[in-house]
Amino acid sequence: MVRKKVPEWLNSTMWSTPPPPSSYDDGLLRHSPVTKMKEEAQSVSVAPRLNSAPPPSSTASVPSPSHRPRNGSSISGGSGEYGNSAGPSAEDFSRQAHVSAELSKKVINMKELRSLALQSLPDSPGIRSTVWKLLLGYLPPERSLWSTELKQKRSQYKHYKDELLTSPSEITWKMVRSKGFDNYDLKSESRCMLARSRITDEDHPLSLGKASIWNTYFQDTETIEQIDRDVKRTHPDIPFFSAESSFARSNQESMKNILLVFAKLNQGIRYVQGMNEILAPIFYVFRNDPDEDSSSHAEADAFFCFVELLSGFRDFYCQQLDNSVVGIRSAITRLSQLVRKHDEELWRHLEITTKVNPQFYAFRWITLLLTQEFSFFDCLHIWDALLSDPEGPLESLLGICCAMLVLVRRRLIAGDFTSNMKLLQHYPTTNISHLLYVANKLRSKMLV
């Protein structure tokens, strides 16, 4: 069998990330014996749910022990939407001018806006918040309709919260009042208590009936506790999410509300561990909108955009669909085919020679939309590209995942099972503009 020749364009140095100092790999091997690594990899299963552009600039991203924004911006505050203390570049000003001009039109050209977002949006106050709402279909292209649409959606979310997040005791009292017992036994020992004759089987706390609000409430307890645990450990190094302040606690409560309302409205999926990581970028961007009205309604706006984003991936979170054409295994297979089409030598070395099944690393990449592979602020720029794809985020996501492999191909080709698994499960710091450029380059070659 004649092995497919490696494309000449892949041999260019621009596609490869140089390996780090040898002490990096030595440390990985020292802490990860081959036998242990194979056991861990073989134990990975799809069934457990989520546990876990223009030519590139010559300036590489600066690694940091904390989540560091691009251009040296600070996560704790400062000027700009994301606390950018380094100041925008001339290129940032140019991109900002183009995006602002497009957003100021009476009817926004979505094709043009997608093209601008594909190159990554500038970190300017309010821009990303507005653009993401447009790209996710939350706002219509016609600016004159924004006010009406926002008012309707925010009112709808308030209705969801009133209906789904109200405690059973409050619901019971409302039902009693609605039946004309407003002044019923409001004296002495009877205050705040209902007579047994006033409580139906569905209203009784010990009822196991399907229509019982108390039975539903107790069934939701496990979901509520899981959401609470996950939200509390969302980006512990970013004060916005985890600082001991009333602002951070308020943000956590909003995220819990969004995830719980989603779980109650989507009984087939409910809450899946890791959805908090997907919600975090959306809520962060909307909550940091300098427009006071937009910021104050970040919870409602983030809910609908979260639902819309997840609609393209929801089948990945349904265990019964894992092996179907719309399940997560299908997406991982598509990634494998994409790598084979672009670089058969790399594909063969990974899957045949070293037996690195893409499921071992790509499951987390795809289901969490790369939020665990890069810093939080780099992910915002990656998501600009994901959301800008008119065919849906999955197509761009698979392209970026393929580009991630291409960028480290030399190290992968030289590596064995253990070193390659470590590399792909702890992806090295990379220049995000360069990564997006490579992903676009690969995709354009697919269209030729």
Side-chain angles (χ1 to χ4, degrees), residues 118 313 369-370 381-390 392-398 400 436:
L118 180 64
F313 300 92
L369 310 190
L370 298 175
H381 292 270
I382 291 175
W383 277 33
D384 292 339
L386 294 183
L387 301 183
S388 69
D389 195 326
L394 180 60
E395 300 305 316
S396 285
L397 177 61
L398 294 178
I400 293 174
L436 296 178

Side-chain angles (χ1 to χ4, degrees), residues 215-422:
N215 186 31
T216 302
Y217 174 78
F218 290 128
Q219 287 180 345
D220 290 337
T221 300
E222 184 178 347
T223 300
I224 295 172
E225 291 176 349
Q226 182 66 62
I227 290 175
D228 183 68
R229 285 194 299 268
D230 289 350
V231 168
K232 285 181 178 178
R233 59 191 180 205
T234 301
H235 298 293
D237 55 342
I238 301 180
F240 176 90
F241 296 103
S242 59
E244 291 298 325
S245 65
S246 58
F247 178 67
R249 286 193 292 271
S250 172
N251 294 334
Q252 289 183 353
E253 286 302 314
S254 291
M255 290 181 64
K256 291 177 189 176
N257 290 340
I258 293 171
L259 294 170
L260 185 54
V261 170
F262 176 86
K264 285 174 172 285
L265 289 175
N266 294 269
Q267 293 294 321
I269 301 176
R270 296 185 65 79
Y271 173 75
V272 178
Q273 189 175 9
M275 286 182 176
N276 58 303
E277 301 291 351
I278 299 176
L279 172 61
I282 299 175
F283 182 71
Y284 177 90
V285 168
F286 292 178
R287 188 71 178 87
N288 279 287
D289 193 313
D291 180 78
E292 187 175 341
D293 182 64
S294 296
S295 178
S296 64
H297 290 95
E299 182 179 323
D301 297 347
F303 168 77
F304 286 103
C305 288
F306 173 73
V307 171
E308 180 60 32
L309 176 60
L310 227 57
S311 66
F313 300 92
R314 59 180 296 150
D315 293 332
F316 294 170
Y317 309 119
C318 185
Q319 188 172 343
Q320 291 81 359
L321 297 177
D322 279 348
N323 297 314
S324 70
V325 294
V326 295
I328 182 61
R329 287 187 186 274
S330 175
I332 293 175
T333 299
R334 287 184 58 194
L335 173 60
S336 175
Q337 295 170 343
L338 201 59
V339 175
R340 186 176 187 179
K341 189 169 295 186
H342 285 299
D343 188 349
E344 186 166 346
E345 181 186 16
L346 175 59
W347 173 86
R348 187 173 299 279
H349 181 75
L350 284 175
E351 299 195 27
I352 306 300
T353 305
T354 61
K355 300 190 184 305
V356 176
N357 190 316
Q359 177 183 316
F360 298 160
Y361 59 88
F363 178 80
R364 188 177 70 180
W365 289 11
I366 295 173
T367 53
L368 294 183
L369 310 190
L370 298 175
T371 57
Q372 302 302 291
E373 317 313 316
F374 302 96
S375 78
F376 179 78
F377 293 90
D378 278 344
C379 280
L380 299 185
H381 292 270
I382 291 175
W383 277 33
D384 292 339
L386 294 183
L387 301 183
S388 69
D389 195 326
E391 297 181 28
L394 180 60
E395 300 305 316
S396 285
L397 177 61
L398 294 178
I400 293 174
C401 290
C402 183
M404 290 168 65
L405 295 172
V406 170
L407 284 177
V408 294
R409 78 179 302 272
R410 290 185 178 180
R411 294 175 62 183
L412 291 172
I413 291 292
D416 58 11
F417 177 88
T418 304
S419 61
N420 285 346
M421 281 297 298
K422 278 291 186 179

